[in-house]
Amino acid sequence: QVQLVESGGGLVQAGASLQLSCVVSGYNFGPAAMGWFRQAPGKEREFVSRITGRTTRFYYADSVKGRFNVSRDNAKNTLYLQMNSLTPEDTGVYYCAIGPDFYSTRVGDYEHWGQGTQVTVSS
């Protein structure tokens, strides 16, 4: 059975950094594209970042470009999101999910979502 478990969220002040982790089991992680999404209170889930498997390409939403870095450790079946210079607008529940082979930022194109980890940034 496929499982994704996010961790690393917390309550921090603006300007701080956090590193999120997503551990994947029951799936061939190495070749899989992966995505990070977030959902703020009262808002729809939105794309944050994507990393491919075979070609190891990186993609970021404009709102986080230059501040966030996505990476992976295939030996540990783990996806990471390093978040720097956090602002209150980064507050939300962060989710990881398995992505399609084609490039996509659409929620509906991803599957096997984790339960999410809460990130709260105070001003």
Side-chain angles (χ1 to χ4, degrees):
Q1 189 175 47
V2 180
Q3 284 191 298
L4 284 69
V5 180
E6 300 96 336
S7 63
L11 173 61
V12 299
Q13 293 184 350
S17 297
L18 283 172
Q19 183 176 254
L20 308 183
S21 299
C22 170
V23 178
V24 179
S25 61
Y27 199 87
N28 192 4
F29 179 78
M34 301 292 299
W36 284 103
F37 292 75
R38 68 188 181 189
Q39 189 163 19
K43 303 294 184 181
E44 294 187 350
R45 195 167 300 184
E46 67 175 356
F47 170 79
V48 175
S49 183
R50 169 181 165 93
I51 181 170
T52 64
R54 298 174 184 175
T55 60
T56 314
R57 293 173 180 250
F58 311 90
Y59 305 92
Y60 300 94
D62 288 342
S63 58
V64 307
K65 195 171 298 181
R67 298 188 297 119
F68 290 12
N69 292 283
V70 64
S71 63
R72 65 196 298 159
D73 187 338
N74 289 344
K76 297 179 179 179
N77 285 0
T78 302
L79 175 73
Y80 301 98
L81 185 68
Q82 178 65 45
M83 306 186 297
N84 303 310
S85 301
L86 286 163
T87 75
E89 288 69 43
D90 296 316
T91 293
V93 179
Y94 283 69
Y95 301 89
C96 61
I98 298 172
D101 289 338
F102 56 89
Y103 170 77
S104 176
T105 64
R106 196 173 73 90
V107 169
D109 288 333
Y110 289 72
E111 62 182 357
H112 299 301
W113 297 86
Q115 294 299 305
T117 184
Q118 176 71 47
V119 172
T120 303
V121 185
S122 65
S123 59

